[in-house]
């Protein structure tokens, strides 16, 4: 929490990917094979255990790759939908958007 608050309070541009946005992006093994970025091989290798876990625990072949949305925002221009807004932190460190505070860029969706 301290580290997040420190970054949030810093005088730096801030872009945030809410968990509900990141959770919408799911992959199955075939979709992962179609990714052709330089880090695709690493992504496939590192996600194998998560795919197995998801299959065993949830009966699903599709997994969430939480950081892919943020990585796409940084490396693939136009891959995300964003908007400028404001954000503040609650006493528990949860961000609240559109209610004052500092300016942030909010990722609101992923483009195909």
């Amino acid at each position: 929490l301290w580290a997040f608050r420190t970054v949030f309070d810093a005088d730096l541009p801030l872009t945030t990917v809410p968990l509900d946005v990141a959770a919408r992006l799911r992959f199955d093994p075939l979709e992962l094979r179609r990714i052709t970025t330089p880090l695709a091989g690493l992504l496939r290798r590192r996600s194998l255990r998560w795919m197995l876990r998801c299959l065993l625990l949830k009966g699903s072949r599709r997994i969430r790759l939480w950081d892919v949305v943020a990585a796409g925002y940084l490396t693939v221009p136009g891959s995300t939908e964003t908007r400028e807004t404001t954000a503040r932190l609650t006493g528990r460190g949860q961000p609240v958007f559109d209610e004052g505070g500092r300016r942030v860029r909010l990722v609101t969706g992923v483009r195909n």
Side-chain angles (χ1 to χ4, degrees):
L1 180 60
W2 176 84
F4 180 67
R5 228 179 247 290
T6 300
V7 170
F8 189 87
D9 292 339
D11 187 24
L12 299 168
L14 181 65
T15 301
T16 184
V17 180
L19 289 178
D20 64 323
V21 173
R24 290 183 217 149
L25 189 62
R26 295 175 186 224
F27 293 89
D28 66 25
L30 292 176
E31 291 165 325
L32 281 176
R33 278 190 226 133
R34 290 187 207 125
I35 297 173
T36 59
T37 64
L39 295 177
L42 177 65
L43 179 63
R44 284 190 289 273
R45 284 190 304 278
R46 295 289 175 104
S47 64
L48 286 175
R49 71 182 181 132
W50 296 108
M51 287 192 171
L52 180 58
R53 181 180 186 275
C54 193
L55 184 61
L56 293 173
L57 294 178
K58 299 180 181 182
S60 175
R61 292 183 163 275
R62 299 178 64 76
I63 62 167
R64 293 180 176 125
L65 297 175
W66 299 100
D67 297 335
V68 169
V69 177
Y73 170 80
L74 290 171
T75 62
V76 183
S79 66
T80 59
E81 299 166 1
T82 63
R83 69 179 174 91
E84 299 291 324
T85 188
T86 58
R88 65 177 177 79
L89 294 181
T90 67
R92 300 178 102 182
Q94 300 295 317
V96 177
F97 301 102
D98 303 319
E99 293 186 11
R102 67 164 291 172
R103 302 275 321 148
V104 298
R105 180 172 303 225
L106 181 66
V107 175
T108 58
V110 178
R111 295 185 178 126
N112 291 338

